[in-house]
Amino acid sequence: MSNKLNIVIVGFGGMGGFHFEKLNLNEHYHVQGIYDIDEAVQKKAEQESIKSYTSLDEVVNDETVDTVLIATPNDSHKSISIQALQHNKHVICEKPVTLTSEDLKEIIDVADKQNKVFMVHQNRRWDDDFHLVKSLYQTKQIGEIFHIESRVHGANGIPGDWRKEELYGGGMLYDWGVHLLDQLLWLFDYDMDNLSGELSYILGNDVDDGFTVHLNFKDVTTIVEVSTTSFIKLPRWYVKGTEGTAVIHDWDLQNEVVCPVKSKEQSHPKPIKAGAGLTKTMAPPSEDAVTKGSINSINFEMESFYDNFYHTVYGKGEPIVKNEQVLKTMEIIEKVFEAVQDEKVIKF
Ligand code: NAD
């Protein structure tokens, strides 16, 4: 008997298509079909010989389906998740899992009652650039990390779809914020101290087109920033440690590390002309006072998201993305909205 999971993808747009390709390459899954609310999408799937269900009811009442993967706009995740779980399906759900932490708690309750696996696709825990930051943290290549800036900068505005609308859970805090916050919260084990932030509405949409969040942990300050209006980007990561500084430029992983030479006495930089004045403080360190290199990366050997879900279903592994972690991230997102609205720093 095959132990493959029979999976149906609900929502066959950009991300549904991404999952379709990945799942088809994974030996643990049989993609049984798709369901999309848009009939044109259903027809197109059928033309490509992909079984297309005509309603969510038909999916959840199909007893041969083990797992439902939800890749629909954000506001619909909750009801589809609960319906699937109540019909004894395991569920993979796209991020942001819900629009409130209370909604997520309801889903988790149903999953627990039904004894089914519910897992959120926080896939950016697998990003190689993030793993370089994890490496810096673990190897202490630049000493103890005390400050991190994590940014994604685009110049295309919010895509012209549901992401622009509040009704569907649009906006960049839900879209990208949930990834970037999840990475740092997971890295520093949810040991928050305080947060504050600003949302940007430069493009005049109902929802934020970017944000800056100052999320401070007990020993590390961070800036998390998303912009859709930056025609010149800042680096993806900027990391400061007690013994050096590192920059990761982009997802292509180009990076630089500069550390002071430990054996040297403090360098005596020559004053430089700076604007209309002179400065020694801000002069670059002399060449022999620093070493320049790149990040020594560690191989973290994480099994893929899909393998991890499969092993969790069969009781052969622990979920890498745990629901209680996702819940904490959703609570932080709520705190960011609260901090912005009340213009205050929230302490934990
Ligand atoms: P999309 O607009 O490209 O596709 C959504 C699809 O869902 C559309 O085909 C639409 O017709 C269908 N749909 C809408 N409501 C439905 C319903 N009630 N039932 C069935 N189908 C429905 O959007 P997308 O970019 O694929 O995003 C989908 C989800 O994936 C979002 O939650 C988004 O945040 C997430 N996402 C995650 C990542 C990631 O890296 N994890 C990347 C992109 C998008």
Side-chain angles (χ1 to χ4, degrees), residues 3-5 28-29 305-314:
N3 280 339
K4 281 189 182 205
L5 289 174
H28 298 313
Y29 294 86
F305 176 87
Y306 303 104
D307 286 353
N308 183 241
F309 181 83
Y310 175 83
H311 288 132
T312 304
V313 165
Y314 283 108

Side-chain angles (χ1 to χ4, degrees), residues 172-174 177-178 181 185 194-199 201 208 210-215 224 328-346 348:
M172 285 300 119
L173 187 56
Y174 280 133
V178 75
L181 292 169
L185 287 161
N194 63 70
L195 72 75
S196 60
E198 306 97 46
L199 301 181
Y201 293 89
D208 66 287
F211 63 84
T212 305
V213 170
H214 301 265
L215 176 61
V224 180
K328 282 189 186 147
T329 305
M330 293 313 299
E331 286 167 351
I332 291 292
I333 286 187
E334 287 169 338
K335 295 282 182 207
V336 173
F337 281 122
E338 189 187 324
V340 169
Q341 192 173 336
D342 301 346
E343 294 180 18
K344 65 179 185 188
V345 175
I346 297 200
F348 294 95

Side-chain angles (χ1 to χ4, degrees), residues 11 13-15 36-37 71-74 77 94-95 121 123 162-163:
M15 207 53 198
D36 197 289
I37 206 165
T72 57
N74 304 340
H77 294 174
E94 261 308 337
K95 48 50 62 174
H121 189 231
N123 51 323
W162 54 267
R163 281 177 179 76

Side-chain angles (χ1 to χ4, degrees), residues 109-160:
D109 280 352
V110 179
D112 288 349
K113 268 193 206 114
Q114 297 292 99
N115 200 18
K116 291 286 147 188
V117 175
F118 176 78
M119 208 186 281
V120 182
H121 189 231
Q122 289 293 164
N123 51 323
R124 292 201 175 276
R125 290 189 189 188
W126 281 260
D127 279 3
D128 290 336
D129 56 287
F130 171 58
H131 285 186
L132 286 183
V133 176
K134 273 176 76 181
S135 298
L136 280 173
Y137 181 57
Q138 296 205 351
T139 62
K140 301 197 193 310
Q141 190 181 351
I142 56 168
E144 297 294 337
I145 288 174
F146 62 87
H147 181 73
I148 295 185
E149 301 182 17
S150 167
R151 293 192 169 81
V152 290
H153 278 178
N156 301 319
I158 307 178

